[in-house]
């Protein structure tokens, strides 16, 4: 089973950038579609972006043009580059497999101040 460790979160002003890495342990990482999810206070966890094993990427409309998901299969790591951050991006960010997530990591808090 894949274990996931997210990091890279923090407090940033609106318009700023953050890069979130997610390190995965376990077998089969390179064959899995990996996604980034986020959960804002009082809201359900939702996918924001995902990357297939072949490198194709998909984004929700609210982050298109601002966020970039990438993966390094040699390092079992998936990244989320977040630019032009907005206060509404404030959430705990998690990575996991798509479409059926496994066990969740602890997530990483991203707070965007206005």
């Amino acid at each position: 089973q894949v274990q996931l460790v997210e990091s890279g979160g923090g407090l940033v002003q609106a318009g700023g950038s953050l890069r979130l890495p997610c390190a995965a342990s376990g077998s089969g990482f390179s064959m899995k579609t990996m996604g980034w999810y986020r959960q804002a206070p009082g809201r359900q966890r939702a996918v924001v972006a995902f990357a297939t094993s072949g490198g194709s990427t998909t984004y929700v409309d609210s982050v298109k043009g601002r966020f970039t998901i990438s993966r390094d299969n040699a390092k079992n790591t998936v990244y989320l580059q977040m630019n032009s951050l907005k206060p509404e991006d404030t959430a705990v960010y998690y990575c996991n497999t798509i479409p059926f997530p496994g066990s969740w990591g602890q997530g990483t808090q991203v707070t965007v101040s206005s």
Side-chain angles (χ1 to χ4, degrees), residues 2 4 24 27-37 47 49-58 69-71 73 78 95-102:
V2 176
L4 304 161
S27 61
F29 174 86
S30 64
M31 299 176 65
K32 300 181 189 294
T33 294
M34 295 299 299
W36 280 95
Y37 301 70
V47 176
F50 60 89
T52 68
S53 58
S56 297
T57 58
T58 301
I69 186 171
S70 61
R71 60 191 298 165
N73 290 335
V78 59
C95 68
N96 214 317
T97 51
I98 297 278
F100 304 112

Side-chain angles (χ1 to χ4, degrees), residues 59-78:
Y59 302 89
V60 297
D61 286 347
S62 60
V63 307
K64 280 181 182 176
R66 301 188 298 120
F67 289 12
T68 303
I69 186 171
S70 61
R71 60 191 298 165
D72 185 337
N73 290 335
K75 295 183 179 179
N76 276 17
T77 301
V78 59

Side-chain angles (χ1 to χ4, degrees), residues 87-112:
E88 51 263 44
D89 295 318
T90 294
V92 180
Y93 284 72
Y94 304 84
C95 68
N96 214 317
T97 51
I98 297 278
F100 304 112
S103 297
W104 294 95
Q106 82 288 350
T108 187
Q109 175 71 49
V110 172
T111 303
V112 185

